[in-house]
Amino acid sequence: MFNTITLVTDARGVATLTLDRAEKHNAMSGEMIGELTSAATQISADDTIRVVVLTGTGKSFCAGGDLEWMRAQMAADSATRFVEARKLAEMLQALNTLTKPMIGALQGNAFGGGVGMASVCDIAIGVDHLKMGLTETKLGIIPATIGPYVTARMGEAKARRVFMSSRLFGAEEAVELGLLAQAVPADQLAESVEAEVLPYLNCAPGAVAAAKQLARDLGPNIDDSVIDHTINALVDRWQTEEAAEGIGAFFDRRKPRWQA
């Protein structure tokens, strides 16, 4: 059914949603964005699903946006850019508003949009050797559509420590920032995730969904106006000379002009 992800549900109602582009470090292509949105719709409509585990294959959890997809936006007209940016924003919101609890199992690194994917999970656990980073500004772009979820997870003060610098940080700092709840050895990841799954199997599914909705209602407001603002911010950056230079430099395997 899917080409870039897998979705499997066990007899208990635990669905495992896996990013499956290991050869591309699970970078989010246009196809993956569409498939994740479809999977979120499918999960929300399936009353047999109690809990979702979000993970990836290979060495990386998610390397962010696929750079080929981003380069295509450089060549696209403005209307196409808005359509593609909205698809990305709507995918993130679809995952963020799942009626089921979602636990992130980060088996590897998470950069850019991968940090956003971790942030839409209700709890994220990562391996203790992983690296994370909001790396967009090195490419001349910004963490726009993921921004509301990242700042909601970390709080503005902590987000500003890593939101603009593209600095990489390890699992211990990710826990301190609030992106990860735990950092564990790789051979303990499955056990730690299972410990988070099990309590939900003793809870009323409708009550869990209502409690999750209430938590979102009481937290930062991520509504259509906020999402539209992030879409406009992303498209505006895609249209700058810096974005063209940064992404072009990546594909040319050279330093962008601002890099020391």
Side-chain angles (χ1 to χ4, degrees):
M1 181 177 180
F2 297 120
N3 294 319
T4 66
I5 63 174
T6 62
L7 177 61
V8 179
T9 304
D10 70 17
R12 303 175 300 166
V14 179
T16 301
L17 177 59
T18 305
L19 310 180
D20 193 19
R21 298 184 77 216
E23 74 286 356
K24 297 291 186 180
H25 294 273
N26 296 320
M28 292 182 288
S29 62
E31 183 178 24
M32 179 182 278
I33 289 166
E35 290 187 348
L36 284 167
T37 303
S38 296
T41 300
Q42 182 176 329
I43 290 165
S44 287
D46 189 341
D47 291 338
T48 69
I49 294 177
R50 304 280 300 275
V51 188
V52 181
V53 176
L54 176 65
T55 190
T57 56
K59 295 181 179 180
S60 300
F61 170 67
C62 178
D66 183 273
L67 286 171
E68 289 282 2
W69 176 76
M70 281 193 274
R71 183 161 70 167
Q73 308 322 309
M74 301 297 101
D77 59 27
S78 183
T80 300
R81 289 170 177 163
F82 273 101
V83 168
E84 292 302 303
R86 182 166 295 282
K87 288 178 182 177
L88 175 58
E90 289 179 348
M91 178 272 288
L92 291 164
Q93 184 68 326
L95 291 174
N96 188 59
T97 57
L98 279 178
T99 56
K100 323 297 170 73
M102 185 162 70
I103 300 164
L106 277 67
Q107 89 292 353
N109 296 341
F111 302 130
V115 177
M117 293 290 281
S119 297
V120 299
C121 295
D122 297 299
I123 183 172
I125 301 172
V127 292
D128 57 9
H129 63 267
L130 66 69
K131 296 292 184 182
M132 301 182 81
L134 293 148
T135 51
E136 288 87 348
T137 55
K138 287 180 70 174
L139 294 170
I141 56 177
I142 58 175
T145 52
I146 65 171
Y149 312 104
V150 172
T151 55
R153 175 55 56 87
M154 288 196 277
E156 182 186 350
K158 287 184 178 179
R160 285 169 67 163
R161 286 168 47 182
V162 294
F163 201 72
M164 304 88 77
S165 67
S166 288
R167 177 174 67 82
L168 302 186
F169 49 91
E172 183 177 347
E173 186 172 2
V175 172
E176 193 271 324
L177 288 168
L179 286 168
L180 297 179
Q182 297 179 59
V184 300
D187 62 1
Q188 295 177 24
L189 181 61
E191 178 183 354
S192 298
V193 170
E194 181 69 5
E196 296 295 334
V197 166
L198 287 176
Y200 286 112
L201 303 182
N202 293 314
C203 297
V208 170
K212 180 171 177 175
Q213 178 65 56
L214 180 60
R216 289 203 315 273
D217 291 344
L218 296 173
N221 184 34
I222 306 176
D223 61 11
D224 289 346
S225 65
V226 171
I227 291 169
D228 286 346
H229 179 66
T230 69
I231 291 168
N232 288 328
L234 178 58
V235 172
D236 284 348
R237 285 307 304 177
W238 276 346
Q239 295 175 159
T240 63
E241 291 183 5
E242 283 188 343
E245 166 69 8
I247 293 172
F250 176 86
F251 282 104
D252 293 344
R253 298 187 179 183
R254 61 176 174 82
K255 291 182 179 181
R257 62 175 181 264
W258 53 77
Q259 186 173 332

